[in-house]
Amino acid sequence: MSSAAPASDPLLLALSPTEVDIVSSIYQHRLLSTAHIAALHTPAAHLRYPQRLLAGLEKRGWLNRVRGRPPARQSLWFTTEAAAKAVEAADIVSRPYRMDALRATGPLQPHTLGVNDVGVAFVAAARRLGHECTPWDWHHEVAHRVSDRPRPGFRADLVVDALLSCTIREQGQEAVILRFVEFDRATESVSTVIAKLRGYAAFHTYEPKTNGQSGLAWKARYMAYPKILLVLAGRAEAALDRRRDTLLQLCRADPVLSRAAEPLAISITTLPALQREGPFAGVFRKPGALNALVDVLGRAVNGREDGPPHDAPPGLAQQKASRR
């Protein structure tokens, strides 16, 4: 697995490479469980090994922990202020967000952990299949401007829950895919979810008229418009399946989303299915084909492709989301 970066900061030099990776990934992803860390950094080891590493990092002042919500009550880890400053000083990654005990136990805890569940599922599946997705290949709350003059009740920014990248290695070639990840815990109405998806349509057509910019805004950031993965969680699996089917029908009926169906390429799955089978299995459904199961590349489970397998031609490694 690729390391985050050389531990050039004097404080980080006291840590092993695995410890540096653990601290930097916890810093980047705000809040990770012991199970997350084991899956990301020590997948072949017994759980006691990452537990010892984490306990040692806590004792030395690198990490703090809180208890997760019932029923699991698992340990959830976040970096101390000193650790965050050391990661930034080492030029590994820099994030304006700071996690603390109050935020770690607050109402956003399940959402943060859920987004990280998605990232961990991609890392595990990519490792198993020979692709590449590292602990630094998803980024939380990536903002995109979608309007110069927002109307009352209309947001000027689209904040994507996560931007995720993965290098696909097949038939001797490599290609990088980018995905916008929306994570829905069923705490909002389906109409609110549809409104959020409309924000992606707005971003796809947005042309800034200020600061001398011209052309579509997304083309200044991406070589291909990232496809959208909507991941549902927060309820029993049967209820999630019903919510998925409702959202698929609403996407198909919505005039904005139906017109933009091809460039947006919305796919919907549930977190249990994603964790159980992985993103390269047929766990996604698309509004235009309600009964067809496809993988994250848009390929039907019977092997027939439901569109291009990749978003970019081989060699476009620069499409990977920056770790900075």
Side-chain angles (χ1 to χ4, degrees):
M1 179 179 294
S2 300
S3 176
S8 56
D9 182 84
L11 291 175
L12 290 175
L13 289 173
L15 303 181
S16 71
T18 299
E19 289 174 324
V20 172
D21 285 354
I22 288 172
V23 170
S24 62
S25 67
I26 293 173
Y27 168 79
Q28 172 158 327
H29 299 306
R30 304 178 177 180
L31 193 66
L32 292 174
S33 69
T34 303
H36 285 152
I37 294 158
L40 292 174
H41 299 290
T42 61
H46 192 279
L47 185 60
R48 286 194 295 270
Y49 177 59
Q51 288 174 332
R52 286 198 300 269
L53 290 177
L54 290 164
L57 289 166
E58 180 184 33
K59 185 176 181 179
R60 285 178 281 165
W62 288 94
L63 301 177
N64 286 325
R65 71 169 118 177
V66 297
R67 285 292 179 184
R69 300 181 179 187
R73 299 292 293 169
Q74 59 186 330
S75 291
L76 306 176
W77 300 89
F78 60 98
T79 54
T80 62
E81 182 67 20
K85 289 180 179 179
V87 171
E88 292 167 352
D91 203 29
I92 293 176
V93 68
S94 182
R95 297 286 181 260
Y97 189 94
R98 281 288 194 272
M99 182 60 72
D100 54 32
L102 183 63
R103 285 173 169 168
T105 56
L108 292 180
Q109 180 196 104
H111 190 275
T112 302
L113 293 174
V115 171
N116 289 332
D117 283 336
V118 174
V120 170
F122 268 83
V123 171
R127 182 189 295 129
R128 185 172 64 252
L129 296 172
H131 307 314
E132 181 182 353
C133 188
T134 77
W136 298 275
D137 283 337
W138 73 96
H139 304 262
H140 296 250
E141 294 185 352
V142 181
H144 303 78
R145 193 77 175 173
V146 299
S147 175
D148 293 326
R149 296 179 180 178
R151 303 182 301 275
F154 182 84
R155 294 189 58 166
D157 293 302
L158 166 70
V159 181
V160 178
D161 286 336
L163 174 66
L164 184 145
S165 64
C166 183
T167 300
I168 307 300
R169 298 189 175 115
E170 291 183 345
Q171 300 176 348
Q173 294 186 324
E174 289 190 355
V176 177
I177 64 169
L178 290 180
R179 294 295 183 265
F180 288 140
V181 176
E182 275 300 311
F183 188 74
D184 169 53
R185 293 192 61 254
T187 57
E188 299 176 319
S189 68
V190 289
S191 60
T192 300
V193 177
I194 294 297
K196 179 68 180 289
L197 293 176
R198 279 185 167 207
Y200 289 94
F203 179 52
H204 185 263
T205 59
Y206 171 52
E207 297 188 49
K209 305 301 181 185
T210 58
N211 301 323
Q213 298 184 53
S214 62
L216 294 169
W218 70 263
K219 290 190 175 182
R221 299 179 65 167
Y222 307 110
M223 298 187 72
Y225 194 81
K227 298 177 182 179
I228 301 162
L229 305 180
L230 175 58
V231 182
L232 310 180
R235 293 183 181 175
E237 193 161 3
L240 292 178
D241 289 343
R242 291 192 296 270
R243 186 174 177 87
R244 176 203 60 206
D245 293 344
T246 298
L247 284 164
L248 286 166
Q249 292 169 359
L250 290 175
C251 286
R252 192 173 186 177
D254 185 87
V256 173
L257 296 179
S258 61
R259 284 198 304 270
E262 185 174 347
L264 294 188
I266 298 169
S267 298
I268 306 179
T269 189
T270 66
L271 183 61
L274 184 67
Q275 291 179 308
R276 183 172 57 245
E277 302 182 48
F280 300 98
V283 297
F284 297 94
R285 295 181 187 269
K286 302 176 74 173
L290 300 184
N291 296 320
L293 289 170
V294 298
D295 67 7
V296 71
L297 302 175
R299 299 186 295 199
V301 292
N302 62 5
R304 180 181 56 83
E305 290 185 0
D306 188 56
H310 309 311
D311 304 296
L316 290 181
Q318 64 267 35
Q319 273 287 296
K320 297 269 284 188
S322 171
R323 292 179 186 173
R324 294 287 303 279

